Amino acid sequence: MEPTSNLVTRLRDILESPVTAPGEPGYDHDRASFNTLTDHRPQAIVRAGSAEDVARAVGVAGDLRIPVAVQATGHGMGLSAPGDSLLVDVRRLDEVEVDPDGRTARVGGGATWDRVVAATAPRQLAPPIGSTGDVGVAGYITGGGVSFLGRQYGYAADNVREIELITPDGRRRRLTAHEEPELFWAVRGGKSNFGVVTSLVLDLMPVSEVYAGTLTFGGGSAARAFHGFLAWTRTVSDATTSVAVFRRLPPPMDPHDRCELVVNVVHVGSASSGRRELAGLRALSPDDDTVTAHPVARINALIPGPTRPGAFVSASGLFGELDAGGADRILRAVGPGVVLSPGLIEVRHLGGHFSKAPATPNAIANRDAGFALYITNPAASAAHADAIAAEHRTLLTTLAPDLTGGRIPTFLGTSDVAPDAVASAYAPEGWVRLRELKRRWDPHNLFRVNHNIR
Ligand SMILES: Cc1cc2nc3c(=O)[nH]c(=O)nc-3n(C[C@H](O)[C@H](O)[C@H](O)COP(=O)(O)OP(=O)(O)OC[C@H]3O[C@@H](n4cnc5c(N)ncnc54)[C@H](O)[C@@H]3O)c2cc1C
């Protein structure tokens, strides 16, 4: 057992929440992440049971100038809390309270979308959820949150009314368009740079059913289908959000080492309007088609995603408009002979309300992008993860003529920690403003285990 540090002693003196330290029972459980590339090794972990305890813990870390990391589910991009840090585990802050008349939900800073959907669906209301129900709401929203309802309702961060934040000085603050508006702007996009979100109030959407699912095109028809998909996106209304996913099938799954193309679609509306919108996609003759009507209660389980923890390496970018030449360049970049291990290369359709400025502005920028690129591959070891990251860099270089150079904060990857990579997720003037706010609110950069705004 390691000697108890000053931090651990002070935390145990003032917190009701459990604190674990290296070598103690529960420490390995508490530091584990869904993305096993993340290897948190902090000198203390607080399993926060209340916002007050988060505030007290951050206050102690501030006194001792100890960096603070935050974790909900560990679905993030593999950035690890170092040995001198404090890890605040927020997953017990998972309460969800729905106001059906006001169409809002107050959501704890550790709640997952699964919990939110379970509370909102019986009221025929939907939150601005992404592809996976087991992702944490606060982590997703502080990165923007690219929702499957997004072309209709914008980024998830555009649908936040209020945030309760524990700032680096250990104080509990309410942020709205009128209270601490600068910080409210910054936290919606600035990730965990400004403190710990202990709760937030979200707008809910009046959605009772969706027409959604997956169309799959085998290796032989994927190239033609991708061109058809891009042409189809130009015809759909804002009620339809979709993503085309290339899934590599190395031999023997596909003897020609091609990718299949999986198109995930969510249409907010009835089966009849959905069928009309999807006719152009179905005309491309998918090999498999699971798109059908679903009650809103299933909205967190429509898009297939990883269900078990694993090591995931990711990279991302943004495209402007993709023409036939751009589509061909993508197809060449993901074509046979590319040695990326089985993984996913996603092209998400943006536009619609993703492109519109929200009523209460936030730090999310690059809104003129037409499509988002997100690449993720499972890694078998740390060395393999490095090799995959190198392949991602090559892929991004190949696609550079079509990429805008911008990114979305939520998709910043393990390799995107350098200041210019983080800055690419913001507008130039937004980056200056974020840095000024960071200097003001977190002068000692306590919150630096993240895509850091230095
Ligand atoms: C399978 C999968 C599917 C995904 N689908 C989408 C998608 O459709 N759209 C999309 O936009 N993104 C998507 N993402 C990205 C995901 O939204 C981000 O990785 C998000 O940050 C995960 O948050 P988390 O709390 O679950 O993970 P964690 O690893 O626990 O946290 C991730 C980051 O958020 C910070 N954080 C978490 N909680 C808090 C809090 N309460 N206060 C302050 N900071 C906090 C952490 O410090 C960390 O930096 C997906 C990721 C995965 C793995």
Side-chain angles (χ1 to χ4, degrees):
M1 176 115 21
E2 314 218 352
T4 307
S5 71
N6 187 16
L7 172 70
V8 174
T9 309
R10 282 190 57 184
L11 292 172
R12 285 189 173 140
D13 280 350
I14 57 167
L15 301 188
E16 284 171 16
S17 305
V19 178
T20 47
E24 293 180 357
Y27 179 80
D28 282 336
H29 170 270
D30 294 348
R31 72 184 188 83
S33 302
F34 185 88
N35 187 345
T36 56
L37 276 187
T38 308
D39 185 19
H40 293 312
R41 303 250 171 205
Q43 58 170 310
I45 304 174
V46 172
R47 286 179 54 211
S50 67
E52 291 81 0
D53 267 0
V54 177
R56 289 185 198 112
V58 171
V60 171
D63 278 354
L64 299 172
R65 299 276 163 83
I66 284 170
V68 183
V70 191
Q71 175 159 280
T73 73
H75 272 81
M77 303 309 176
L79 305 177
S80 306
D84 61 343
S85 65
L86 163 67
L87 177 63
V88 179
D89 172 350
V90 290
R91 85 190 105 164
R92 289 169 68 208
L93 305 179
D94 64 351
E95 62 291 340
V96 178
E97 203 181 299
V98 179
D99 171 1
D101 299 324
R103 282 210 214 128
T104 60
R106 180 175 290 279
V107 175
T112 60
W113 286 118
D114 284 336
R115 283 199 55 99
V116 180
V117 171
T120 62
R123 319 283 190 158
Q124 310 287 290
L125 294 168
I129 187 174
S131 55
T132 310
D134 56 1
V135 161
V137 172
Y140 165 97
I141 282 190
T142 51
V146 185
S147 167
F148 265 91
L149 312 179
R151 282 178 43 82
Q152 178 95 320
Y153 296 106
Y155 284 95
D158 301 345
N159 294 283
V160 178
R161 295 207 184 174
E162 182 184 323
I163 292 176
E164 184 186 75
L165 187 75
I166 308 303
T167 41
D169 54 5
R171 288 188 53 193
R172 199 172 163 183
R173 294 175 199 272
R174 182 168 181 265
L175 320 180
T176 67
H178 309 290
E179 290 173 64
E180 303 291 2
E182 281 287 284
L183 211 43
F184 188 52
W185 172 86
V187 176
R188 290 171 302 139
K191 305 198 87 177
S192 62
N193 273 285
F194 296 94
V196 186
V197 174
T198 45
S199 71
L200 30 79
V201 177
L202 297 176
D203 285 324
L204 301 174
M205 291 77 195
V207 177
S208 56
E209 64 171 341
V210 291
Y211 188 67
T214 292
L215 299 130
T216 305
F217 301 87
S221 57
R224 180 183 52 81
F226 184 55
H227 278 280
F229 163 78
L230 292 177
W232 169 78
T233 58
R234 289 191 271 278
T235 69
V236 296
S237 75
D238 290 352
T240 300
T241 303
S242 58
V243 53
V245 185
F246 291 100
R247 203 157 49 185
R248 174 153 294 284
L249 302 176
M253 287 194 286
D254 180 306
H256 306 290
D257 188 23
R258 295 170 301 199
C259 286
E260 65 177 359
L261 186 74
V262 177
V263 179
N264 298 314
V265 188
V266 176
H267 170 77
V268 183
S270 66
S272 57
S273 65
R275 272 194 288 272
R276 275 196 302 280
E277 292 251 313
L278 264 74
L281 203 50
R282 287 196 161 119
L284 302 169
S285 308
D287 297 296
D288 190 31
D289 179 348
T290 69
V291 180
T292 187
H294 295 274
V296 68
R298 286 206 20 90
I299 199 165
N300 50 335
L302 297 173
I303 309 298
T307 51
R308 286 211 219 114
F312 300 100
V313 187
S314 63
S316 69
L318 288 170
F319 296 109
E321 279 313 314
L322 274 171
D323 57 13
D328 281 336
R329 279 187 286 276
I330 293 174
L331 287 164
R332 272 198 298 279
V334 306
V338 177
V339 284
L340 285 174
S341 62
L344 306 177
I345 298 168
E346 298 186 354
V347 179
R348 284 193 192 217
H349 186 205
L350 300 176
H353 285 76
F354 284 119
S355 301
K356 305 214 160 92
T360 306
N362 55 40
I364 298 303
N366 297 318
R367 287 179 183 262
D368 51 351
F371 295 87
L373 171 73
Y374 180 65
I375 318 163
T376 183
N377 293 78
S381 63
H384 188 210
D386 290 342
I388 291 171
E391 288 190 340
H392 286 177
R393 282 193 292 278
T394 306
L395 191 63
L396 292 177
T397 306
T398 311
L399 296 177
D402 298 296
L403 293 169
T404 65
R407 290 185 178 83
I408 301 172
T410 192
F411 291 140
L412 285 171
T414 330
S415 315
D416 299 325
V417 288
D420 58 343
V422 181
S424 72
Y426 306 99
E429 63 283 6
W431 179 241
V432 171
R433 191 169 163 193
L434 284 167
R435 292 182 66 198
E436 279 168 14
L437 287 164
K438 179 75 173 173
R439 241 190 314 272
R440 182 169 357 136
W441 286 98
D442 189 11
H444 303 296
N445 199 10
L446 287 189
F447 286 84
R448 59 178 178 264
V449 186
N450 48 31
H451 291 100
N452 198 223
I453 300 166
R454 284 181 206 160

